[in-house]
Amino acid sequence: MCRRLIGALAAGMLLAAGGAAVAPPEAAEAAAPLSRVLVFSKTAGFRHDAIPAGIAAIRQLGAANGFAVAATEDAGAFTAGNLGQYQAVVFLNTTGDVLDGGQQSAFESYVAAGGGYVGVHAAADTEYDWPWYGGLVGAYFASHPATQPATIRVEDRGNASTSHLSPTWSRTDEWYNYRTNPRSRVKVLASLDESSYSGGSMGGDHPITWCQEYGGGRSWYTGLGHTPQTYSDATFTRMLLGGIRIAAGAAPADCRPETGYTALFDGTQATFGQWRQAGPGGFTLADGTLSSYGGMGLLWYPVRTFGNYSLKVDWMMPGDDNGGVFVGFPDPQGDPWRPVDAGHEIQIDATDGDPSRTTGSVYSFSAPDAAVRDAALNPPGSWNSYEIGVHGQRVEVWLNGVKVNDYTSGRNIADGYLGLQNDGAGLDISYRNVRIRTDGPSQPPATDLARGRSVTASSVEPNSPHAPGNAVDGNSGTRWGSAHSDPQWITVDLGASYRLDRVRLNWETAYGRAYQIHVSPNNSTWTQVYATSSGDGGVDDVPISANGRYLRVTGTQRGTQWGYSLWDLNVYGG
């Protein structure tokens, strides 16, 4: 939200909230600077020739990032006194039974006291008879095909270990199959595309890098790391550094399991095309990321409203910038201030002097716990992750997996739209990986067109008072219906497939016209559902019966008085 005051409206609503009870946020420990790491590489089975390269790479990471690295293959290092000096222990291509019972107990106690574990590649081929360790690593090794290239799908690009990666990452390694799929127990950060190589045996859902909270500490594992060349790959070593920092508690991360979410924006043009801009400015799409320009405006999701849900969004500000995630608002109708007046903004701006308008706040209504927020917040230039829970009038906010706000609203936000703010020129913000899980007993209908939501499709012509909406204008001239003998068309993407019952066309002028209405499931195969050669009025109410996502109106000249333009279209359906 821009820093101008909302004024009397916000003040009135704040009073209307009547001092609603706010549950205290969950506690969080401040992230400590990373100082000491132990690398353990004992093998009792196959020995990887990449181990020396891995130790050297981690030493280089330590030298460049201010932490000391000790390396050992002596299991005698696993005592309570010795382990206590390290923030994380890296199991680097360990294999077989490497710790005795006393050493195992010491390591369990170390993790229970908040210690961190990093597992690299064959760390999953270790300690099969120690169930606690199997839970710590997340999954045991089962088999592998020959070393070969494959494509990695990066699922969480807000995590400190994967935020630098593109949505897909092609590389060569030895790709492990695991005895079980860990997804229900861990936060999967990256997975393998089994169609991109031969020998994958996990049925298409193949996690390869993940993190979790475990037994009082933190665990981060990657299946990458078989070859010596891996450790000279700056992309991999940056990922490994992030994993070490997460395990050590030096970087906030949401490592809770994530299942049941549906992507609203997954980095593709197809999902971006379902969103609509209200107000000035907008967003560009590159590398799966939305980046703002201009404003103040709002990119909102018009396909449906939501109530009782968990919404997750990754975001990044390059500096002292501004943005926000809006929830629970009605159709903006082109005006970005309608969501301000009727919904709630979860603010992104850590330097605003008003505590109720800083990162983690429900803007102007509820400040976050500042100490908890500061401990969980990654700095400018780094990616952060919001989870926003909306259940009835309750709004909960998690920042990088730590709850920072819990507010009961005086507004009815149980049935509303979602949006991402572009606050203004120079107040830059990026978003990616927007997903939602509906989990309440009473969800709004998934077909809000049944309530007659207006889908505006307007011409763009000089000095027209009408907004361009979400239409694609098929006219090479300046207005959709200018005087041409060739058929002119306008197509509207409804954002999802609906049963269409009625189309209402409101014409800017009332000259004679002939037109047809077609629908399509894919913007390629079209079916005509209506045609007329005698339309003369300013408004046409057309009954149709069809299913589709795309709607096209095609006009042809009738007589000499062609000169109108289509400026408003409403679709009704179920």
Side-chain angles (χ1 to χ4, degrees), residues 328-392:
F329 58 88
D331 188 330
Q333 299 180 10
D335 181 1
W337 288 103
R338 284 174 59 85
V340 174
D341 296 339
H344 279 310
E345 178 189 9
I346 312 306
Q347 173 71 332
I348 303 171
D349 180 4
T351 62
D352 195 299
D354 185 335
S356 70
R357 297 181 179 183
T358 63
T359 295
S361 67
V362 181
Y363 190 84
S364 285
F365 291 93
S366 177
D369 183 300
V372 174
R373 186 274 315 279
D374 291 347
L377 181 65
N378 287 318
S382 303
W383 283 89
N384 290 272
S385 179
Y386 266 162
E387 179 183 357
I388 303 166
V390 174
H391 295 87

Coordinates of all heavy atoms in Angstrom, one line a residue, residues 328-392:
G328 N -10.0 -11.0 0.3 CA -11.4 -10.7 0.7 C -12.0 -9.5 0.2 O -12.8 -8.8 0.9
F329 N -11.8 -9.1 -1.1 CA -12.4 -7.9 -1.6 C -13.4 -8.3 -2.8 O -13.3 -9.3 -3.4 CB -11.3 -6.9 -2.1 CG -10.4 -7.5 -3.2 CD1 -10.7 -7.4 -4.5 CD2 -9.2 -8.1 -2.8 CE1 -9.8 -7.9 -5.5 CE2 -8.3 -8.6 -3.7 CZ -8.6 -8.5 -5.1
P330 N -14.3 -7.4 -3.1 CA -15.2 -7.6 -4.2 C -14.6 -7.2 -5.5 O -13.5 -6.7 -5.6 CB -16.4 -6.6 -3.9 CG -15.7 -5.5 -3.2 CD -14.6 -6.1 -2.3
D331 N -15.3 -7.5 -6.6 CA -14.8 -7.1 -8.0 C -14.4 -5.7 -8.0 O -15.1 -4.8 -7.7 CB -15.9 -7.4 -9.0 CG -15.5 -7.2 -10.4 OD1 -14.6 -6.5 -10.7 OD2 -16.1 -7.8 -11.3
P332 N -13.1 -5.4 -8.3 CA -12.6 -4.0 -8.3 C -13.3 -3.1 -9.3 O -13.3 -1.9 -9.2 CB -11.1 -4.1 -8.6 CG -10.8 -5.5 -8.4 CD -12.0 -6.3 -8.6
Q333 N -13.8 -3.7 -10.4 CA -14.4 -2.9 -11.5 C -13.5 -1.9 -12.0 O -13.9 -0.7 -12.3 CB -15.8 -2.3 -11.0 CG -16.8 -3.3 -10.6 CD -18.1 -2.7 -10.1 OE1 -18.3 -1.5 -10.3 NE2 -18.9 -3.6 -9.5
G334 N -12.2 -2.3 -12.1 CA -11.2 -1.4 -12.6 C -10.6 -0.4 -11.7 O -9.6 0.3 -12.0
D335 N -11.1 -0.4 -10.4 CA -10.6 0.6 -9.5 C -9.8 -0.1 -8.4 O -10.4 -0.8 -7.6 CB -11.8 1.3 -8.9 CG -11.4 2.4 -7.8 OD1 -10.2 2.6 -7.6 OD2 -12.3 3.0 -7.2
P336 N -8.5 0.2 -8.3 CA -7.7 -0.5 -7.2 C -8.0 -0.1 -5.8 O -7.6 -0.7 -4.9 CB -6.3 -0.2 -7.6 CG -6.4 1.1 -8.3 CD -7.7 1.1 -9.1
W337 N -8.8 1.0 -5.7 CA -9.1 1.4 -4.3 C -10.3 0.7 -3.7 O -10.5 0.7 -2.5 CB -9.4 2.9 -4.3 CG -8.1 3.7 -4.4 CD1 -7.6 4.3 -5.6 CD2 -7.1 3.9 -3.5 NE1 -6.4 4.9 -5.4 CE2 -6.0 4.6 -4.1 CE3 -6.9 3.5 -2.1 CZ2 -4.9 5.0 -3.4 CZ3 -5.8 3.9 -1.5 CH2 -4.8 4.6 -2.1
R338 N -11.1 0.0 -4.6 CA -12.2 -0.8 -4.0 C -11.7 -1.9 -3.1 O -12.2 -2.1 -2.0 CB -13.0 -1.4 -5.1 CG -14.0 -0.3 -5.8 CD -14.7 -0.9 -7.0 NE -15.5 -2.1 -6.7 CZ -16.7 -2.1 -6.2 NH1 -17.3 -0.9 -6.0 NH2 -17.4 -3.2 -5.9
P339 N -10.6 -2.6 -3.5 CA -10.0 -3.6 -2.5 C -9.5 -3.0 -1.3 O -9.6 -3.6 -0.2 CB -8.9 -4.3 -3.4 CG -9.3 -4.1 -4.8 CD -10.0 -2.8 -4.8
V340 N -9.0 -1.8 -1.3 CA -8.5 -1.1 -0.1 C -9.6 -0.8 0.8 O -9.5 -1.1 2.0 CB -7.8 0.2 -0.5 CG1 -7.4 1.0 0.8 CG2 -6.6 0.0 -1.4
D341 N -10.8 -0.4 0.3 CA -11.9 0.0 1.1 C -12.7 -1.2 1.6 O -13.3 -1.1 2.7 CB -12.8 0.9 0.3 CG -12.2 2.2 -0.1 OD1 -11.2 2.6 0.5 OD2 -12.7 2.8 -1.1
A342 N -12.6 -2.3 0.9 CA -13.5 -3.4 1.3 C -12.8 -4.7 1.7 O -13.5 -5.6 2.2 CB -14.5 -3.7 0.2
G343 N -11.5 -4.8 1.4 CA -10.8 -6.0 1.7 C -9.7 -5.8 2.7 O -9.8 -4.8 3.5
H344 N -8.7 -6.6 2.8 CA -7.6 -6.4 3.6 C -6.3 -6.6 2.8 O -6.2 -7.5 2.0 CB -7.6 -7.4 4.8 CG -8.5 -7.0 5.9 ND1 -8.4 -5.8 6.5 CD2 -9.4 -7.7 6.6 CE1 -9.3 -5.7 7.5 NE2 -9.9 -6.9 7.6
E345 N -5.3 -5.8 3.1 CA -3.9 -5.9 2.6 C -3.0 -6.5 3.6 O -2.9 -6.0 4.7 CB -3.4 -4.6 2.1 CG -2.0 -4.7 1.5 CD -1.4 -3.3 1.2 OE1 -1.9 -2.3 1.6 OE2 -0.3 -3.3 0.6
I346 N -2.3 -7.5 3.2 CA -1.2 -8.0 4.0 C 0.1 -7.3 3.5 O 0.6 -7.6 2.4 CB -1.0 -9.5 4.0 CG1 -2.4 -10.2 4.2 CG2 0.0 -10.0 5.0 CD1 -3.1 -9.8 5.4
Q347 N 0.6 -6.4 4.3 CA 1.5 -5.4 3.8 C 2.9 -6.0 3.6 O 3.3 -6.9 4.3 CB 1.6 -4.2 4.8 CG 2.7 -3.2 4.6 CD 2.4 -2.3 3.3 OE1 1.7 -2.7 2.4 NE2 2.9 -1.1 3.4
I348 N 3.7 -5.4 2.7 CA 5.1 -5.7 2.5 C 5.8 -4.4 2.4 O 5.8 -3.7 1.4 CB 5.3 -6.5 1.2 CG1 4.5 -7.8 1.2 CG2 6.8 -6.8 1.0 CD1 4.5 -8.5 -0.1
D349 N 6.4 -3.9 3.5 CA 7.2 -2.7 3.6 C 7.8 -2.6 5.0 O 7.2 -2.1 5.9 CB 6.3 -1.5 3.3 CG 7.1 -0.2 3.4 OD1 8.3 -0.2 3.6 OD2 6.4 0.9 3.3
A350 N 9.0 -3.2 5.2 CA 9.5 -3.3 6.5 C 10.0 -2.0 7.1 O 10.2 -2.0 8.3 CB 10.7 -4.3 6.4
T351 N 10.0 -0.9 6.4 CA 10.6 0.3 7.0 C 9.5 1.4 7.3 O 9.8 2.5 7.7 CB 11.6 0.9 6.0 OG1 11.0 1.3 4.8 CG2 12.8 0.0 5.8
D352 N 8.2 1.1 7.0 CA 7.2 2.1 7.3 C 7.2 2.3 8.8 O 7.3 1.4 9.6 CB 5.8 1.5 6.9 CG 4.8 2.6 6.9 OD1 4.5 3.2 7.9 OD2 4.2 2.9 5.8
G353 N 7.1 3.6 9.2 CA 7.2 3.9 10.6 C 6.0 3.5 11.5 O 6.0 3.5 12.7
D354 N 4.8 3.3 10.8 CA 3.6 2.9 11.5 C 3.6 1.4 11.7 O 3.6 0.6 10.7 CB 2.4 3.3 10.7 CG 1.1 3.0 11.4 OD1 1.0 2.1 12.3 OD2 0.1 3.7 11.1
P355 N 3.7 0.8 12.9 CA 3.7 -0.6 13.0 C 2.6 -1.4 12.4 O 2.8 -2.5 12.0 CB 3.7 -0.8 14.6 CG 4.2 0.5 15.1 CD 3.7 1.5 14.2
S356 N 1.5 -0.7 12.2 CA 0.3 -1.4 11.6 C 0.4 -1.3 10.0 O -0.5 -1.8 9.4 CB -1.0 -0.8 12.0 OG -1.2 0.5 11.5
R357 N 1.5 -0.8 9.5 CA 1.7 -0.7 8.1 C 3.0 -1.2 7.6 O 3.6 -0.8 6.6 CB 1.5 0.8 7.6 CG 0.1 1.3 7.9 CD -0.1 2.7 7.5 NE -1.5 3.2 7.8 CZ -2.0 4.3 7.4 NH1 -1.2 5.2 6.8 NH2 -3.2 4.7 7.7
T358 N 3.6 -2.2 8.4 CA 4.8 -2.7 8.0 C 4.6 -4.2 7.5 O 3.5 -4.7 7.6 CB 5.8 -2.7 9.2 OG1 5.2 -3.6 10.3 CG2 6.0 -1.3 9.8
T359 N 5.7 -4.8 7.1 CA 5.7 -6.2 6.6 C 5.1 -7.1 7.7 O 5.5 -7.0 8.8 CB 7.1 -6.6 6.2 OG1 7.6 -5.9 5.1 CG2 7.1 -8.1 5.9
G360 N 4.1 -7.8 7.2 CA 3.4 -8.8 8.1 C 2.1 -8.2 8.8 O 1.4 -8.9 9.4
S361 N 1.9 -6.9 8.6 CA 0.7 -6.3 9.1 C -0.5 -6.6 8.3 O -0.4 -6.8 7.1 CB 0.9 -4.8 9.3 OG 0.9 -4.2 8.0
V362 N -1.7 -6.5 8.9 CA -3.0 -6.4 8.2 C -3.1 -4.9 8.1 O -3.5 -4.2 9.1 CB -4.1 -7.1 8.9 CG1 -5.4 -6.9 8.1 CG2 -3.8 -8.5 9.1
Y363 N -2.9 -4.3 7.0 CA -2.6 -2.9 6.8 C -3.7 -2.0 7.5 O -4.9 -2.1 7.3 CB -2.6 -2.5 5.3 CG -2.1 -1.1 5.0 CD1 -0.8 -0.9 4.9 CD2 -3.0 -0.1 4.8 CE1 -0.3 0.4 4.7 CE2 -2.5 1.2 4.6 CZ -1.2 1.4 4.5 OH -0.7 2.7 4.2
S364 N -3.1 -1.2 8.4 CA -3.9 -0.2 9.2 C -4.8 -0.8 10.3 O -5.4 -0.1 11.0 CB -4.7 0.7 8.4 OG -3.9 1.7 7.7
F365 N -4.8 -2.2 10.4 CA -5.7 -2.8 11.4 C -4.9 -3.6 12.4 O -5.4 -3.6 13.6 CB -6.7 -3.7 10.6 CG -7.7 -3.0 9.8 CD1 -7.5 -2.7 8.5 CD2 -8.9 -2.5 10.4 CE1 -8.4 -2.1 7.7 CE2 -9.8 -1.8 9.7 CZ -9.6 -1.6 8.3
S366 N -3.9 -4.3 12.1 CA -3.2 -5.2 13.0 C -1.7 -5.2 12.7 O -1.3 -5.6 11.6 CB -3.8 -6.6 12.9 OG -3.1 -7.5 13.8
A367 N -0.9 -4.8 13.7 CA 0.5 -4.8 13.5 C 1.0 -6.3 13.8 O 0.5 -7.0 14.6 CB 1.2 -3.9 14.5
P368 N 2.1 -6.7 13.2 CA 2.7 -8.0 13.5 C 3.5 -7.8 14.8 O 3.8 -6.7 15.3 CB 3.7 -8.2 12.3 CG 4.1 -6.9 11.9 CD 2.9 -6.0 12.1
D369 N 3.9 -9.0 15.4 CA 4.9 -8.9 16.4 C 6.2 -8.6 15.8 O 6.8 -9.4 15.1 CB 4.9 -10.3 17.1 CG 5.9 -10.3 18.3 OD1 7.1 -10.1 18.1 OD2 5.4 -10.6 19.4
A370 N 6.7 -7.4 16.1 CA 7.9 -6.9 15.4 C 9.1 -7.8 15.6 O 9.9 -8.0 14.7 CB 8.2 -5.5 15.9
A371 N 9.3 -8.2 16.9 CA 10.5 -9.1 17.1 C 10.5 -10.4 16.4 O 11.5 -10.8 15.8 CB 10.7 -9.3 18.6
V372 N 9.3 -11.0 16.4 CA 9.1 -12.3 15.7 C 9.3 -12.0 14.2 O 9.9 -12.8 13.5 CB 7.7 -12.9 16.0 CG1 7.5 -14.1 15.1 CG2 7.7 -13.2 17.5
R373 N 8.7 -11.0 13.7 CA 8.8 -10.6 12.2 C 10.2 -10.4 11.8 O 10.7 -10.9 10.8 CB 7.9 -9.4 11.9 CG 7.8 -9.0 10.4 CD 8.9 -8.1 9.9 NE 9.2 -7.1 10.8 CZ 8.6 -5.9 10.8 NH1 7.5 -5.7 10.1 NH2 9.0 -5.0 11.7
D374 N 10.9 -9.6 12.6 CA 12.3 -9.3 12.2 C 13.2 -10.5 12.2 O 14.1 -10.7 11.4 CB 12.9 -8.3 13.2 CG 12.3 -6.9 13.1 OD1 11.6 -6.7 12.0 OD2 12.4 -6.1 14.0
A375 N 12.9 -11.5 13.1 CA 13.7 -12.7 13.2 C 13.4 -13.6 12.0 O 14.3 -14.3 11.5 CB 13.4 -13.5 14.4
A376 N 12.2 -13.5 11.4 CA 11.8 -14.4 10.3 C 12.1 -13.8 9.0 O 12.1 -14.5 7.9 CB 10.4 -14.7 10.4
L377 N 12.4 -12.5 8.9 CA 12.4 -11.7 7.6 C 13.8 -11.9 7.0 O 14.8 -11.6 7.6 CB 12.1 -10.3 7.9 CG 12.0 -9.3 6.7 CD1 10.9 -9.7 5.7 CD2 11.9 -7.9 7.1
N378 N 13.8 -12.2 5.7 CA 15.0 -12.2 4.9 C 15.2 -10.8 4.4 O 14.2 -10.1 4.1 CB 14.9 -13.2 3.7 CG 15.1 -14.6 4.2 OD1 15.9 -14.9 5.0 ND2 14.2 -15.5 3.6
P379 N 16.4 -10.3 4.2 CA 16.7 -8.9 3.8 C 16.3 -8.6 2.4 O 16.0 -9.5 1.6 CB 18.2 -8.8 4.1 CG 18.7 -10.2 3.8 CD 17.6 -11.1 4.3
P380 N 16.3 -7.3 2.0 CA 16.0 -6.9 0.7 C 16.9 -7.6 -0.3 O 18.1 -7.8 0.0 CB 16.3 -5.4 0.7 CG 16.0 -5.0 2.1 CD 16.5 -6.1 2.9
G381 N 16.4 -7.9 -1.5 CA 17.1 -8.7 -2.4 C 17.0 -10.2 -2.3 O 17.4 -10.9 -3.2
S382 N 16.4 -10.6 -1.1 CA 16.2 -12.0 -0.9 C 14.7 -12.3 -1.0 O 13.8 -11.5 -0.8 CB 16.6 -12.4 0.5 OG 18.0 -12.1 0.7
W383 N 14.4 -13.6 -1.3 CA 13.0 -14.0 -1.4 C 12.4 -14.3 0.0 O 13.1 -14.8 0.8 CB 12.8 -15.2 -2.4 CG 12.9 -14.7 -3.8 CD1 14.0 -14.6 -4.6 CD2 11.8 -14.3 -4.6 NE1 13.7 -14.2 -5.8 CE2 12.4 -14.0 -5.9 CE3 10.4 -14.2 -4.4 CZ2 11.6 -13.5 -6.9 CZ3 9.6 -13.7 -5.5 CH2 10.2 -13.4 -6.7
N384 N 11.2 -14.0 0.2 CA 10.4 -14.3 1.4 C 9.1 -15.0 0.9 O 8.7 -14.9 -0.2 CB 10.1 -13.1 2.2 CG 11.3 -12.4 2.8 OD1 11.6 -12.8 4.0 ND2 11.9 -11.5 2.2
S385 N 8.5 -15.7 1.9 CA 7.3 -16.4 1.6 C 6.2 -16.1 2.6 O 6.5 -16.1 3.8 CB 7.6 -17.9 1.6 OG 6.4 -18.7 1.4
Y386 N 5.1 -15.7 2.1 CA 3.9 -15.5 3.0 C 3.0 -16.8 2.9 O 2.8 -17.3 1.8 CB 3.1 -14.3 2.5 CG 3.3 -13.0 3.1 CD1 2.9 -11.8 2.5 CD2 4.0 -12.9 4.3 CE1 3.1 -10.6 3.1 CE2 4.2 -11.6 4.9 CZ 3.8 -10.5 4.3 OH 4.0 -9.3 4.8
E387 N 2.4 -17.1 4.0 CA 1.2 -17.9 4.0 C 0.1 -17.1 4.7 O 0.4 -16.6 5.8 CB 1.3 -19.2 4.8 CG 0.0 -20.0 4.8 CD 0.1 -21.3 5.6 OE1 1.2 -21.7 6.1 OE2 -1.0 -22.0 5.7
I388 N -1.0 -16.9 4.1 CA -2.1 -16.1 4.6 C -3.3 -17.0 4.8 O -3.8 -17.6 3.8 CB -2.4 -14.9 3.7 CG1 -1.2 -14.0 3.5 CG2 -3.6 -14.1 4.2 CD1 -1.4 -13.1 2.3
G389 N -3.7 -17.2 6.0 CA -4.9 -18.0 6.3 C -6.1 -17.2 6.5 O -6.0 -16.2 7.3
V390 N -7.2 -17.5 5.8 CA -8.4 -16.7 6.0 C -9.5 -17.8 6.3 O -9.8 -18.7 5.5 CB -8.8 -15.9 4.7 CG1 -10.2 -15.3 4.8 CG2 -7.8 -14.9 4.4
H391 N -10.1 -17.6 7.5 CA -11.2 -18.5 7.9 C -12.2 -17.7 8.6 O -12.0 -17.2 9.7 CB -10.7 -19.6 8.8 CG -9.7 -20.5 8.1 ND1 -8.3 -20.3 8.1 CD2 -9.9 -21.7 7.5 CE1 -7.8 -21.3 7.4 NE2 -8.7 -22.1 7.0
G392 N -13.4 -17.5 7.9 CA -14.4 -16.6 8.4 C -13.8 -15.2 8.4 O -13.4 -14.6 7.4

